[in-house]
Amino acid sequence: QLQLQESGSGLVKPSQTLSLTCAVSGGSISSGGYSWSWIRQPPGKGLEWIGYIYHSGSTYYNPSLKSRVTISVDRSKNQFSLKLSSVTAADTAVYYCARAGITIRLGATLIWFDPWGQGTLVTVSS
Amino acid sequence: QTVVTQEPSLTVSPGGTVTLTCASSTGAVTSGYYPNWFQQKPGQAPRALIYSTSNKHSWTPARFSGSLLGGKAALTLSGVQPEDEAEYYCLLYYGGAQLYVFGTGTKVTVL
């Protein structure tokens, strides 16, 4: 059973770069048919999709964050990472990683999201 | 900027039925947006319920169902249980830009 676990600094100073890693266990990050996402949730607010990376290395980002976000894959460590630069207090949130699967069943394309990591709180403060 | 809108809050009695909707600012939601629905309880990570409009995960209770309704994605809870009290989020895929957008979320209260 695939599991995801976020890790990284829980406290980041304003203007610095937030760095998080999502470790994948129980399966290979290099398997085809999947993308690997980062999602965040500010305290008391809704979910925001940050971006994702395919096993091929192709990346797609939320336009509102695109200038500050980098998602990368480390296949040797079976993990993927998030970097968010020039952070402000507005970037304080619980950050989740998740896998999306794309399958074709009876001629129809299906997209599903599972599993999710448990989430990690990142606070931006001096 | 694309906005996906859900009802802020809904209240339902135990055993009742409630329908949550998910609308896109770009127009009608179709199966091509691959609507996904998630349930989130306080302090927990979201849990997937429905994928690609109406498909259930193996763990999704039978009382949850997904559909398209009047140009929106919809999640219907039938025979609501107290444990269904939670926040529910939809997620749409915009294929042209290859990006996802979460809905604003619906707080369901069972009362």
Side-chain angles (χ1 to χ4, degrees):
Chain A
Q1 180 180 352
L2 194 86
Q3 292 185 317
L4 306 179
Q5 179 66 60
E6 305 92 345
S7 63
S9 176
L11 181 63
V12 183
K13 289 182 168 53
S15 80
Q16 293 190 340
T17 296
L18 176 160
S19 294
L20 295 175
T21 295
C22 181
V24 179
S25 59
S28 173
I29 200 169
S30 298
S31 299
Y34 299 109
S35 63
W36 307 88
S37 284
W38 285 99
I39 296 147
R40 71 179 182 178
Q41 185 172 37
K45 296 188 178 181
L47 298 169
E48 180 180 32
W49 174 76
I50 298 171
Y52 65 92
I53 187 166
Y54 278 113
H55 66 93
S56 63
S58 300
T59 52
Y60 299 89
Y61 300 133
N62 185 325
S64 67
L65 299 170
K66 187 174 183 177
S67 63
R68 299 193 292 131
V69 173
T70 301
I71 297 175
S72 60
V73 166
D74 186 336
R75 292 183 181 80
S76 66
K77 294 183 178 179
N78 213 35
Q79 64 187 32
F80 62 108
S81 299
L82 169 70
K83 291 189 185 300
L84 182 65
S85 64
S86 305
V87 297
T88 69
D91 295 309
T92 294
V94 174
Y95 286 76
Y96 297 100
C97 57
R99 179 187 69 171
I102 302 172
T103 57
I104 297 177
R105 185 190 303 162
L106 300 177
T109 300
L110 305 173
I111 296 178
W112 43 268
F113 271 78
D114 184 72
W116 291 56
Q118 65 184 27
T120 186
L121 175 64
V122 177
T123 302
V124 179
S125 175
S126 55
Chain B
Q1 181 178 344
T2 301
V3 177
V4 178
T5 304
Q6 300 179 238
E7 296 85 1
S9 63
L10 292 169
T11 299
V12 59
S13 299
T17 297
V18 64
T19 297
L20 291 62
T21 66
C22 174
S24 172
S25 62
T26 61
V29 176
T30 66
S31 59
Y33 287 81
Y34 306 100
N36 274 248
W37 289 92
F38 302 91
Q39 178 192 66
Q40 187 180 34
K41 296 183 178 180
Q44 297 182 14
R47 181 178 73 141
L49 288 175
I50 300 289
Y51 64 98
S52 294
T53 305
S54 59
N55 295 274
K56 299 180 185 182
H57 292 280
S58 59
W59 55 84
T60 303
R63 61 184 181 274
F64 291 88
S65 63
S67 64
L68 295 175
L69 199 63
K72 302 177 184 180
L75 175 69
T76 299
L77 288 65
S78 305
V80 170
Q81 301 297 308
E83 61 264 30
D84 298 334
E85 185 163 293
E87 191 86 22
Y88 292 83
Y89 293 94
C90 65
L91 176 68
L92 300 181
Y93 177 66
Y94 292 80
Q98 297 196 60
L99 57 85
Y100 293 94
V101 181
F102 279 99
T104 50
T106 297
K107 169 65 176 171
V108 172
T109 300
V110 181
L111 205 58

